[in-house]
Amino acid sequence: MTRDWMMAGMDGVEFARRRLGFEPDAKQCVMLSSRVRRGLLNCTRQWGKSTVAAIKAVFQAETTPESLVLVLSPTDKQSREFVRKASEYVRRLGIQPRGDGDNDCSLRFPNGSRIVGLPGQQATARGFSAVSLLLIDEASRVSDDLYKAVRPMLAVSGGDLWLMSTPAGKRGFFYEEWEYGGDQWERVSVTGAECSRIDPSFVAEERVKQGDRWFRQEYCCEFVDTEESMFDSDVIRAAITDDVKPLDLRGEK
């Protein structure tokens, strides 16, 4: 039985179930089955976004030969943890994980595909092209400059882009794309109350212990202003306008 025959017609959800022994919940199915080119995942803490994203990366690499999947995280440690999770699923495919020989944090598949994990630094993120799938983990903690630096990697390949994160205030590209990015994005939101793996009593305890603002951000997927903000960001945005007439100084003496 060849691997190509086994993959024929299989989407990400079926791949997770049949090949990896992973049973996704309803919201995880949305991300795994999505075929959109631009996706936004705004989720509660401890939902398992990195796990689902690792499965999506392995699915892309295994089913599409010569794919390049890039995973960008704020730190090297987070990128390595992501690739470690992907390695666990690669083993379930009967493939012995190994690097690509060029990048320290990477996986190479027998079909020529690669998964490469990168830390949130422009110097290390630049230099890749023909990216099939770009995953930005903890996107709310990645700088706007780095986001601008990696987007051109999709220009020629027409690859897919997924931004995944818990909110971190009303700022940064993750917030801007979620609120104002338009209908080019598929948006998936998962609150703590929607995650069956989180004990409701723990969520209730967090609300009391951590305070309303922090709880709404971490477990309710809300973009809230930071405590350091002097003015509400919505008020500031509403005060900004392009409808400004130039001053007529011709009558001045």
Side-chain angles (χ1 to χ4, degrees):
M1 183 181 296
T2 67
R3 187 165 281 142
D4 289 341
W5 183 88
M6 293 172 67
M7 297 301 169
M10 187 180 296
D11 69 4
V13 175
E14 189 177 5
F15 177 84
R17 289 169 174 162
R18 291 177 53 188
R19 301 300 314 283
L20 304 180
F22 179 86
E23 184 59 43
D25 64 25
K27 287 295 181 73
Q28 290 171 336
C29 285
V30 172
M31 183 175 178
L32 289 174
S33 63
S34 176
R35 297 183 182 275
V36 299
R37 295 184 60 244
R38 301 289 179 263
L40 287 160
L41 173 62
N42 178 7
C43 63
T44 178
R45 294 285 297 276
Q46 297 302 307
W47 176 67
K49 63 176 172 56
S50 295
T51 297
V52 178
I55 292 175
K56 193 174 185 70
V58 171
F59 174 68
Q60 171 70 32
E62 174 69 350
T63 59
T64 308
E66 302 295 331
S67 290
L68 174 56
V69 179
L70 288 188
V71 182
L72 182 65
S73 303
T75 67
D76 180 65
K77 181 180 179 180
Q78 289 169 305
S79 293
R80 290 181 181 279
E81 178 63 16
F82 186 100
V83 173
R84 185 193 67 79
K85 289 181 178 180
S87 297
E88 294 176 358
Y89 292 119
V90 167
R91 288 189 179 93
R92 298 186 189 185
L93 295 174
I95 301 172
Q96 181 61 37
R98 63 187 181 94
D100 66 359
D102 296 317
N103 300 280
D104 188 39
C105 184
S106 62
L107 290 169
R108 186 172 186 87
F109 289 67
N111 65 4
S113 292
R114 294 184 295 154
I115 297 176
V116 179
L118 299 171
Q121 302 171 7
Q122 284 200 52
T124 54
R126 289 178 178 269
F128 291 90
S129 60
V131 175
S132 302
L133 174 61
L134 175 59
L135 300 169
I136 303 183
D137 197 14
E138 296 293 351
S140 65
R141 273 79 179 177
V142 172
S143 72
D144 289 359
D145 287 342
L146 185 55
Y147 179 56
K148 294 175 182 178
V150 297
R151 280 191 61 107
M153 297 176 184
L154 304 170
V156 175
S157 63
D160 299 338
L161 169 64
W162 274 85
L163 311 181
M164 310 166 294
S165 192
T166 301
K170 293 182 178 181
R171 59 189 177 189
F173 68 88
F174 183 66
Y175 166 69
E176 293 293 333
E177 298 289 25
W178 182 270
E179 291 291 340
Y180 309 106
D183 57 9
Q184 66 173 305
W185 294 94
E186 176 173 348
R187 293 167 175 81
V188 181
S189 178
V190 190
T191 66
E194 296 175 297
C195 181
S196 61
R197 294 175 295 282
I198 301 178
D199 189 332
S201 64
F202 177 81
V203 175
E205 180 183 8
E206 287 288 276
R207 182 187 290 273
V208 174
K209 294 292 185 180
Q210 305 295 350
D212 180 69
R213 188 199 68 81
W214 190 91
F215 178 82
R216 286 163 53 204
Q217 172 178 280
E218 301 294 313
Y219 290 97
C220 300
C221 303
E222 294 184 25
F223 293 90
V224 295
D225 284 306
T226 62
E227 293 178 343
E228 295 81 11
S229 299
M230 183 175 295
F231 301 103
D232 186 284
S233 58
D234 290 334
V235 174
I236 296 174
R237 183 178 290 274
I240 298 175
T241 179
D242 294 328
D243 187 18
V244 179
K245 295 180 180 180
L247 292 175
D248 186 356
L249 303 178
R250 291 175 297 177
E252 290 189 358
K253 295 182 179 180

